[in-house]
Amino acid sequence: MAQNGTRATGPRCIALVGPFQSGKTTLLEAILARTGAIQRQGTIDAENTVGDASKEARHHKMSVELSVASTNFMGDTYTFVDCPGSVEFVHDMRAALPAVDAAVVVCELDEKKVPQLQLILRELEAQKIPRFLFLNKIDKADSTIHDVLRVLQPASRSKLVLRQIPTFAGEIVTGFVDLALERAFVYKEHAPSEVVPLEGDALDREKTARFSMLETLADHDDELMEQLLEDIQPPRDKVFDDLSKELREGLVCPVLFGSATRTNGVLRLMKALRHEIPGVAETAKRLGVKGGHPVAYVLKTINTSHGGKMSVARVLGGKIGDGTTLLRSDGEAARVAAVFKLMGQHSEKRGAAEAGDTVALGKLDHAKTGDTLSDSQQTHPPLAKVSPHAPVLSIAVAAKERKDDVKLGQALAKLLEEDPSISVVHNAEAHEVVIWGQGEMQLRVATERLADRFGIATVSHKPTVGYRETIKKGIVQRGRHKKQSGGHGQYGDVVLDIKPLPRGSGFSFSEEIKGGVVPRNYIPSVEAGVIDALKHGPLGFPVVDIAAKLIDGSYHTVDSSDMAFQLAGRLAIHEGLPQCQPVLLEPIYQVEIVCPSEATAKMNALMSGRRGQILGFDTREGWDGWDMVRVQMPESEIGDLIVEVRSATAGVGSFTFKFDHMAELMGRTADQIVAARKAAAA
Ligand SMILES: Nc1nc2c(ncn2[C@@H]2O[C@H](COP(=O)(O)OP(=O)(O)OP(=O)(O)O)[C@@H](O)[C@H]2O)c(=O)[nH]1
Ligand SMILES: [Mg+2]
């Protein structure tokens, strides 16, 4: 066994990450079972895993938020952060990564999932997180297993190093040879693998594979290179030291394999973690933690169903217990109500947390995911800054019952606190609450939580597109409001010179009243009436890019009033605009799509089907094999664009967008929009 001198000690924190459905939650379950933290290994199908314990995760049979569970292994505590694989929930992973000592990237030998793997490795590379690949589902492996490196290497910037090779009975993988230990094992279902003699064909393959592993390590170790050239067997401890050192420095990414459902390869993984990954001291150094005081990083915020807020935090230095006052980087303070140990959805009070521990801190009202907290002596600058990806999909939600309106706002605030990659926009004009997020599943889960956790039934629909209308020619229009009903009458009379303005000008009002034909004090009333009338033009939309000049009118000494002149102003607009060739304006956005280059041609086709206008193609900066496509497209076509972009790119394509301009829209599409608006108003 490698008892090298550099082994870290103390509690470790490890992220389980990887492409969608690669087996992360099942692997967590296998680890917990193998190390004795749980009695029985649950399965995704039986809906009894520790990781996917929330109602939504169980229901969808996928992780929809990160979950945290700890176990003990050979005298140390290991906390695993099981991250969702879906790109829609990637923020949970990104925000948690700064806190971890290392990541286990659970993956499959599937070429189609390589782009997703690449995205995840990019995050780890950027944040300098040491990482193992765990090639899962080895029970389903076929002969392509020999191509592991050919298939997976393109996803990784650092060199992949095979740490194990499979052994077979016919086509089926029955065990493995550990290339560092030079020992052969056969898998036992739900039991530790058994050591068997390393001989015959397996021994020959082992020699070749071990040599390539050492060659890769020697790229960064001259002494090892010399030993290899001179055909000297390096001591086993030196090999382990090198593996560990190069892993920690991000020079290599070792590859282990196994089967989470059968608990195969789990013990070897645990041993590799135990011996090779850094501990909290090194992680604190990586993050730039300033020593002395207690410091913690908040990797997730949870609002439990019984009402309490918990901040899942990694303690990076010092000790944090009940009653410890913690400051955010901006100086805001709150006291820890209690310290909890987490086991998926289950929490249990525990004693003070020390450097290395990953715990939940109760009732820190001020703390947000991504915060760096320190004790009351002095604030600590933020250790990491992880901004959520810009949202790509939205729905409008409303409480089914009006009495729930206030509750809806409060519940949404809680959901946002848990998942900052969701945002809420209030569209005052359309009276809509619009939830923006990363995809259909995330938004669906959000509405499910509103119902299940907060008891708010909602209805949702597509958000209203910000159409406008304008006019193409001007008119001089009189508006005369006159009523003679019994005693006191009403009288207001105006003449407006109405003209179109250039795109983007908005609205302007002016007057050229001579000889007091409209008294000064009524002119603002005319303007107010005009503004009011422009809220709904002849097509049903707000009118923009229009000028109204008050040029003439008349008044009555007794019957004129503010109200009468407001009505006169409105009347002039209502009667005038239909004769000014009203035209619909639709918002056009500038969209930047990023995708693997193979998919660029598909984007082209996708755009022409969505009235998109391609402005240009570029290679994506810093991303080999990726392109960026710049297009202009109408807001209404962006609605579900992400669904198609993802389906054309094995889930990895994405885009950002920003408003560019309003464009005239005529013809059938415009007619349909106007008709729909009229129908909705009726
Ligand atoms: N054959 C086989 N199936 C596996 C193995 N590990 C997981 N699975 C299956 O793969 C599916 C996904 O497993 P999960 O553990 O939910 O995968 P995950 O990576 O946590 O999924 P997300 O969190 O949603 O990305 C389930 O049906 C598992 O039973 C394995 O080693 N072998
Ligand atoms: Mg999962």
Side-chain angles (χ1 to χ4, degrees):
M1 194 73 7
Q3 287 302 344
N4 53 61
T6 54
R7 187 173 86 74
T9 51
R12 251 53 74 75
C13 182
I14 297 145
L16 298 177
V17 302
F20 186 47
Q21 295 281 292
S22 59
K24 300 168 286 294
T25 303
T26 308
L27 179 62
L28 171 62
E29 197 71 13
I31 290 171
L32 296 175
R34 167 64 80 246
T35 54
I38 53 175
Q39 295 302 312
R40 216 172 126 251
Q41 180 170 341
T43 67
I44 301 295
D45 275 337
E47 302 187 2
N48 59 354
T49 60
V50 171
D52 285 352
S54 75
K55 186 167 175 191
E56 296 77 22
R58 293 224 202 283
H59 175 62
H60 295 293
K61 294 207 175 354
M62 61 182 276
S63 300
V64 296
E65 76 251 274
L66 68 69
S67 76
V68 172
S70 302
T71 188
N72 286 310
F73 180 63
M74 299 177 84
D76 283 325
T77 302
Y78 292 79
T79 301
F80 290 90
V81 181
D82 173 22
C83 300
S86 158
V87 286
E88 299 184 27
F89 300 99
V90 73
H91 186 72
D92 263 19
M93 172 191 90
R94 296 175 65 232
L97 286 182
V100 304
D101 300 318
V104 175
V105 185
V106 183
C107 62
E108 291 166 77
L109 195 58
D110 179 351
E111 228 139 350
K112 289 198 290 296
K113 289 194 171 181
V114 170
Q116 264 194 57
L117 179 63
Q118 182 188 28
L119 277 193
I120 289 157
L121 288 173
R122 277 295 162 86
E123 290 288 349
L124 298 169
E125 288 158 2
Q127 297 199 32
K128 296 195 167 54
I129 313 286
R131 55 214 166 260
F132 282 91
L133 280 194
F134 184 81
L135 183 62
N136 191 31
K137 307 195 185 180
I138 197 87
D139 53 303
K140 292 204 306 191
D142 53 24
S143 55
T144 55
I145 185 79
H146 298 295
D147 292 338
V148 180
L149 294 187
R150 183 188 61 75
V151 174
L152 300 182
Q153 182 63 63
S156 172
R157 281 178 168 163
S158 54
K159 197 89 186 212
L160 299 185
V161 186
L162 267 192
R163 284 283 307 273
Q164 304 175 330
I165 52 166
T167 51
F168 299 87
E171 287 278 277
I172 294 168
V173 178
T174 50
F176 65 96
V177 181
D178 186 303
L179 298 176
L181 280 176
E182 300 201 82
R183 242 183 247 166
F185 296 83
V186 285
Y187 291 134
K188 299 275 165 203
E189 203 165 335
H190 304 307
S193 301
E194 192 178 290
V195 182
V196 292
L198 176 57
E199 54 194 14
D201 162 60
L203 181 60
D204 294 341
R205 288 197 298 118
E206 188 271 341
K207 290 262 172 283
T208 320
R210 178 173 159 89
F211 191 75
S212 357
M213 176 183 87
L214 294 177
E215 261 185 322
T216 308
L217 293 177
D219 283 345
H220 308 282
D221 180 347
D222 294 343
E223 192 192 338
L224 181 61
M225 184 61 92
E226 268 171 38
Q227 288 171 333
L228 291 186
L229 289 174
E230 289 168 23
D231 223 3
I232 300 170
Q233 268 300 320
R236 189 181 285 169
D237 280 359
K238 169 156 182 59
V239 174
F240 274 108
D241 279 349
D242 263 26
L243 278 168
S244 174
K245 181 167 169 287
E246 296 190 15
L247 165 83
R248 293 175 191 205
E249 289 173 4
L251 301 170
V252 298
C253 172
V255 184
L256 302 172
F257 37 69
S259 162
T261 40
R262 299 183 183 208
T263 341
N264 290 155
V266 172
L267 214 49
R268 299 277 8 125
L269 171 65
M270 286 305 295
K271 289 196 172 163
L273 295 175
R274 171 173 154 85
H275 287 285
E276 295 167 34
I277 68 170
V280 69
E282 222 170 303
T283 300
K285 206 147 118 210
R286 181 189 90 217
L287 293 167
V289 171
K290 299 203 178 80
H293 301 288
V295 178
Y297 173 84
V298 180
L299 56 118
K300 173 79 180 171
T301 306
I302 308 171
N303 287 300
T304 60
S305 46
H306 31 276
K309 170 177 167 180
M310 294 212 261
S311 304
V312 185
R314 177 105 198 266
V315 182
L316 294 156
K319 191 169 172 176
I320 295 173
D322 295 6
T324 305
T325 296
L326 291 175
L327 300 181
R328 291 180 45 179
S329 300
D330 65 6
E332 204 181 334
R335 266 162 57 101
V336 175
V339 182
F340 299 92
K341 174 189 166 177
L342 290 177
M343 193 68 169
Q345 297 267 297
H346 183 78
S347 59
E348 192 182 295
K349 269 202 184 173
R350 52 159 279 166
E354 307 205 13
D357 282 328
T358 308
V359 294
L361 304 173
K363 300 243 156 62
L364 287 177
D365 287 336
H366 67 330
K368 290 202 192 66
T369 302
D371 276 352
T372 300
L373 304 174
S374 60
D375 81 342
S376 51
Q377 306 298 314
Q378 98 199 70
T379 59
H380 196 291
L383 293 169
K385 179 157 174 33
V386 185
S387 313
H389 291 313
V392 287
L393 188 70
S394 61
I395 46 166
V397 292
K400 257 191 189 145
E401 298 182 43
R402 285 210 71 153
K403 68 171 173 53
D404 284 340
D405 278 355
V406 175
K407 240 168 92 186
L408 177 64
Q410 291 162 346
L412 284 173
K414 290 208 161 142
L415 291 184
L416 261 53
E417 198 173 36
E418 290 185 357
D419 186 351
S421 68
I422 295 178
S423 51
V424 172
V425 177
H426 292 268
N427 180 346
E429 181 186 306
H431 306 291
E432 275 171 9
V433 175
V434 181
I435 311 183
W436 278 93
Q438 308 292 327
E440 282 178 304
M441 184 54 83
Q442 188 198 32
L443 295 179
R444 184 182 315 165
V445 167
T447 50
E448 285 170 358
R449 285 191 174 141
L450 289 175
D452 295 340
R453 207 196 294 169
F454 300 98
I456 306 169
T458 56
V459 282
S460 50
H461 58 91
K462 273 191 189 168
T464 303
V465 173
Y467 294 112
R468 296 284 181 272
E469 59 180 275
T470 190
I471 50 171
K472 289 177 71 87
K473 62 171 206 183
I475 194 170
V476 172
Q477 176 70 44
R478 164 153 258 138
R480 191 154 175 231
H481 177 70
K482 186 175 174 188
K483 246 189 190 150
Q484 214 74 60
S485 50
H488 203 47
Q490 296 176 31
Y491 186 89
D493 173 36
V494 299
V495 178
L496 295 181
D497 182 4
I498 300 169
K499 283 203 173 93
L501 287 178
R503 209 51 70 242
S505 313
F507 165 69
S508 89
F509 181 85
S510 57
E511 52 87 14
E512 235 170 47
I513 292 299
K514 296 198 184 80
V517 290
V518 175
R520 291 275 113 203
N521 56 320
Y522 292 139
I523 293 177
S525 313
V526 179
E527 182 176 3
V530 169
I531 289 174
D532 193 50
L534 292 178
K535 284 182 187 157
H536 300 279
L539 305 180
F541 298 94
V543 187
V544 295
D545 302 340
I546 186 169
K549 193 197 283 178
L550 176 62
I551 52 172
D552 201 356
S554 61
Y555 73 104
H556 186 279
T557 40
V558 179
D559 291 348
S560 280
S561 66
D562 279 333
M563 182 51 73
F565 271 99
Q566 268 195 41
L567 289 171
R570 273 175 57 171
L571 214 57
I573 294 291
H574 277 152
E575 285 175 3
L577 291 198
Q579 306 167 60
C580 295
Q581 280 186 25
V583 63
L584 192 65
L585 293 176
E586 72 169 339
I588 305 291
Y589 279 69
Q590 175 109 344
V591 183
E592 282 182 2
I593 305 175
V594 289
C595 62
S597 310
E598 309 86 81
T600 307
K602 285 192 208 158
M603 291 306 135
N604 215 339
L606 194 62
M607 287 311 119
S608 58
R610 288 177 171 258
R611 299 192 288 135
Q613 200 192 343
I614 303 214
L615 302 178
F617 299 93
D618 253 321
T619 50
R620 184 180 185 190
E621 219 183 290
W623 287 69
D624 252 8
W626 283 65
D627 284 343
M628 180 166 92
V629 186
R630 278 184 306 116
V631 285
Q632 278 191 349
M633 68 193 303
E635 181 182 339
S636 59
E637 297 288 342
I638 299 175
D640 58 352
L641 178 64
I642 191 64
V643 179
E644 289 192 46
V645 167
R646 289 204 178 124
S647 89
T649 58
V652 296
S654 187
F655 62 83
T656 54
F657 58 97
K658 61 172 199 279
F659 174 75
D660 196 74
H661 65 277
M662 299 297 285
E664 284 178 21
L665 178 64
M666 282 172 285
R668 240 168 61 93
T669 318
D671 295 344
Q672 283 166 355
I673 294 164
V674 172
R677 178 72 166 203
K678 296 233 153 102

